[in-house]
Amino acid sequence: MTQTMIAVQGLTKTYGPRVAIDHLNFGAKKGEILGFLGPNGAGKTTTMRILTGYMPPTTGTARIAGFHVVDDSLEVRQRVGYLPETVPLYNDMSVIDYLIYMGQLRRVPKVEDRAWEALEQVGMEDRADSFIGALSKGMRQRVGLAQAILHRPEVLILDEPTIGLDPTQVVEVRSLIQEIGKEHTVLLSTHILAEAQQLCDRVLIINKGRIIAEDTPENLQLRLQGGTRILVTVQGAPQESLLKRLRALDGIRLVTAGADGRVEIVAEEGREVRPQIARAVLESGHSLLEMRRAAMSLEEIFLQLIGGETEAEAAAGTAAEAPPEPAEDTPTEEA
Amino acid sequence: MRTMWTIARREYSRYFTTPAAYLAAFLFLLVLGIIFYANIAASTMRSFMMPGSAPGVEIIVNPMTTLLVFIVPALTMRLLAEEQRMGTIELLLTSPVRDAELIVGKWLGSFLFVATLIVIALLYPVALNQLVSPGIDWGPVITGFLGLLLMAATLTALGTAVSSLFNNQIAAFVATLALFLLLWLLGFPSQSMGGSNLWQYLDLSHHFYDTFARGILDTRDVIYYLSGAALGLFAGTVIIETRRWR
């Protein structure tokens, strides 16, 4: 059950001088719903496009179910279900024909039965013969989801699956994702904090191409409730005894161990706990390499996300993420 | 291979659901019919003055090559430009389909549709056979239609490649037509002024009128068209691959 389905190391993608994502490291286990939380343009779509084999990274590696996204691209694509943010569908096809076509492309055995099954899973079997062009946004989203789960992929990647939906549709799609998440590993991106909290087992907060926090939704909540963040780096991996010791300290709200000997500590506001932390590190037999107060970027992002949420509900957010699509809107002409 | 056929089948059947394709097919057959009628009428007039000068199959085959130059861009413009505009290319490129399979599948769909039109146009030689006595020479019909199919393979492959460069169908249409006209007229200057044979060799029409249309089957011409088709498919695949790296 603890098989690693997504493994990303040092993933970087640059578009000319612009760095879209910068040395991302993360992983996801089987049966996990991993959330990608961040404002628009943070690099969520870029990461997803790399994981689905749509485009190669500039540097770094990513593996899906053990397969390299560039070297074993076809194997990866066979194992990944993907719902792009724009939900691309063929408007001139009927729902069922579309699913059968996509199933054939992915060599799904008994494709017709499977297409009907997927359609049932998203609750659209009564619209099987409708033309996709005539469907509402919520229904298109569901057809997109059906398409993504069609070949029973081990990993499901959903880019902003609830964007642009009305509140009832949002609820429907979210429960659908929860249902699907029981069988598949799901990576979903969102810029709505509440959604990530509701759906995900673990959340990555990403901003400007970097992961700035990675935790369970509950812990994130704690970390975001103000307080002072202190980053400690010790030599080697931090022992459990150290974490226990730190948690036991007065005025410490949360202790999380990160990669490369980093430990993130959230202390109550206005209390000087650094001497105690330093002592605890040394006494537990670690060498202290670095200790500093972290910038409050998490809170800034948090505010942005809160802002994004209300904005999204008002405008049913349509802003596209990088890379910029070729402009479709014609410049306004003057008479 | 199987996914390639899946894509080809989808493209082929799609032509039967889009009005633009019907319009192109209609115009192709209509114009061909008008030219055919005009030629028959002219020959009838001529036969009063010069008995025994019955028209050959060239009155059907030659105009068809010209028509292909204009019809094929309209039929291939959508192939990849539409996918790229709608974003559905993202689904295709994240499906377990090789880039080459995608391009070849797209090309095959359009080629088979054009081939269908060419086969329908076989009705004209059959009609001509009824009109002239003692019937027509079927040799040039066979080589002529074979040549047409080969030329269609080249043109659709080049059209597929050009379509993969664009997000806009109209831009793809214009660019494809420009490319075809260029290839069509390449040998023209050297024909009238002497000059290098290279241009003539690259000329699209040169390989048709002097051989296929006259009932001659020359392997050089077959190779020319086949390599043209291969080049188009290769270019299309490379273009799609480089799109990923942008």
Side-chain angles (χ1 to χ4, degrees), chain A residues 15 49 52-56 74 77-78 82 88 90-93 98 101 104-107 147 326, chain B residues 3 6-7 9-10 14 83 85-88 90-98 167 244-246:
Chain A
Y15 296 103
R49 283 182 167 169
T52 52
Y54 179 66
M55 58 187 187
L74 290 181
R77 290 187 241 163
Q78 187 72 53
Y82 178 38
Y90 295 105
N91 290 337
D92 62 323
M93 286 179 114
Y98 169 73
Y101 176 59
Q104 284 169 337
L105 286 184
R106 294 181 189 138
R107 303 179 181 87
Q147 165 273 126
Chain B
T3 48
T6 304
I7 293 170
R9 218 172 37 231
R10 149 103 176 120
R14 202 171 172 194
E83 305 266 8
R85 190 178 65 82
M86 298 291 290
T88 43
E90 202 165 341
L91 285 182
L92 290 177
L93 294 187
T94 55
S95 295
V97 179
R98 286 186 186 82
N167 292 340
R244 291 178 186 267
W245 289 92
R246 283 205 310 222

Side-chain angles (χ1 to χ4, degrees), chain B residues 124-173:
Chain B
Y124 289 109
V126 171
L128 186 67
N129 191 40
Q130 301 291 317
L131 289 172
V132 298
S133 69
I136 56 168
D137 181 1
W138 285 95
V141 177
I142 293 165
T143 56
F145 274 78
L146 184 70
L148 281 171
L149 288 175
L150 284 168
M151 188 186 283
T154 305
L155 293 179
T156 46
L158 294 175
T160 309
V162 175
S163 178
S164 65
L165 278 171
F166 290 93
N167 292 340
N168 181 318
Q169 293 188 33
I170 304 301
F173 174 80

Side-chain angles (χ1 to χ4, degrees), chain B residues 68-70 72-73 76 154-166 171-187 202-205 224 228-229 231-233 235-236 239:
Chain B
L68 281 182
V69 166
F70 290 93
V72 168
T76 57
T154 305
L155 293 179
T156 46
L158 294 175
T160 309
V162 175
S163 178
S164 65
L165 278 171
F166 290 93
F173 174 80
V174 174
T176 311
L177 187 60
L179 175 70
F180 287 0
L181 289 176
L182 182 77
L183 285 173
W184 200 248
L185 301 171
L186 215 52
L202 290 175
D203 187 303
L204 203 57
S205 54
Y224 170 82
L231 184 74
L233 296 177
I239 291 164

Side-chain angles (χ1 to χ4, degrees), chain B:
Chain B
M1 276 301 268
R2 223 172 77 200
T3 48
M4 191 189 83
W5 279 106
T6 304
I7 293 170
R9 218 172 37 231
R10 149 103 176 120
E11 283 312 317
Y12 184 74
S13 60
R14 202 171 172 194
Y15 283 116
F16 294 96
T17 58
T18 50
Y22 270 114
L23 192 68
F26 172 73
L27 281 176
F28 179 75
L29 294 169
L30 178 78
V31 172
L32 203 55
I34 293 170
I35 293 172
F36 181 68
Y37 175 80
N39 269 308
I40 294 295
S43 315
T44 315
M45 300 289 285
R46 228 175 318 148
S47 67
F48 288 122
M49 290 168 270
M50 280 192 290
S53 65
V57 73
E58 72 278 355
I59 64 162
I60 301 145
V61 169
N62 287 355
M64 271 172 82
T65 58
T66 318
L67 281 171
L68 281 182
V69 166
F70 290 93
I71 294 294
V72 168
L75 294 172
T76 57
M77 64 179 185
R78 205 207 59 240
L79 288 175
L80 286 128
E82 173 85 344
E83 305 266 8
Q84 295 182 126
R85 190 178 65 82
M86 298 291 290
T88 43
I89 191 83
E90 202 165 341
L91 285 182
L92 290 177
L93 294 187
T94 55
S95 295
V97 179
R98 286 186 186 82
D99 293 353
E101 288 175 322
L102 170 65
I103 290 290
V104 175
K106 289 272 178 188
W107 163 75
L108 202 56
S110 67
F111 168 67
L112 289 177
F113 185 75
V114 177
T116 308
L117 293 184
I118 292 172
V119 169
I120 292 172
L122 266 173
L123 286 171
Y124 289 109
V126 171
L128 186 67
N129 191 40
Q130 301 291 317
L131 289 172
V132 298
S133 69
I136 56 168
D137 181 1
W138 285 95
V141 177
I142 293 165
T143 56
F145 274 78
L146 184 70
L148 281 171
L149 288 175
L150 284 168
M151 188 186 283
T154 305
L155 293 179
T156 46
L158 294 175
T160 309
V162 175
S163 178
S164 65
L165 278 171
F166 290 93
N167 292 340
N168 181 318
Q169 293 188 33
I170 304 301
F173 174 80
V174 174
T176 311
L177 187 60
L179 175 70
F180 287 0
L181 289 176
L182 182 77
L183 285 173
W184 200 248
L185 301 171
L186 215 52
F188 219 50
S190 66
Q191 222 166 37
S192 46
M193 294 185 291
S196 155
N197 270 337
L198 177 70
W199 298 119
Q200 268 205 42
Y201 181 75
L202 290 175
D203 187 303
L204 203 57
S205 54
H206 167 72
H207 291 272
F208 190 84
Y209 290 135
D210 297 343
T211 48
F212 287 118
R214 294 183 182 166
I216 302 164
L217 192 64
D218 190 331
T219 42
R220 275 175 300 180
D221 303 323
V222 177
I223 288 168
Y224 170 82
Y225 286 125
L226 289 182
S227 51
L231 184 74
L233 296 177
F234 177 71
T237 308
V238 169
I239 291 164
I240 289 297
E241 265 166 18
T242 47
R243 276 192 83 90
R244 291 178 186 267
W245 289 92
R246 283 205 310 222

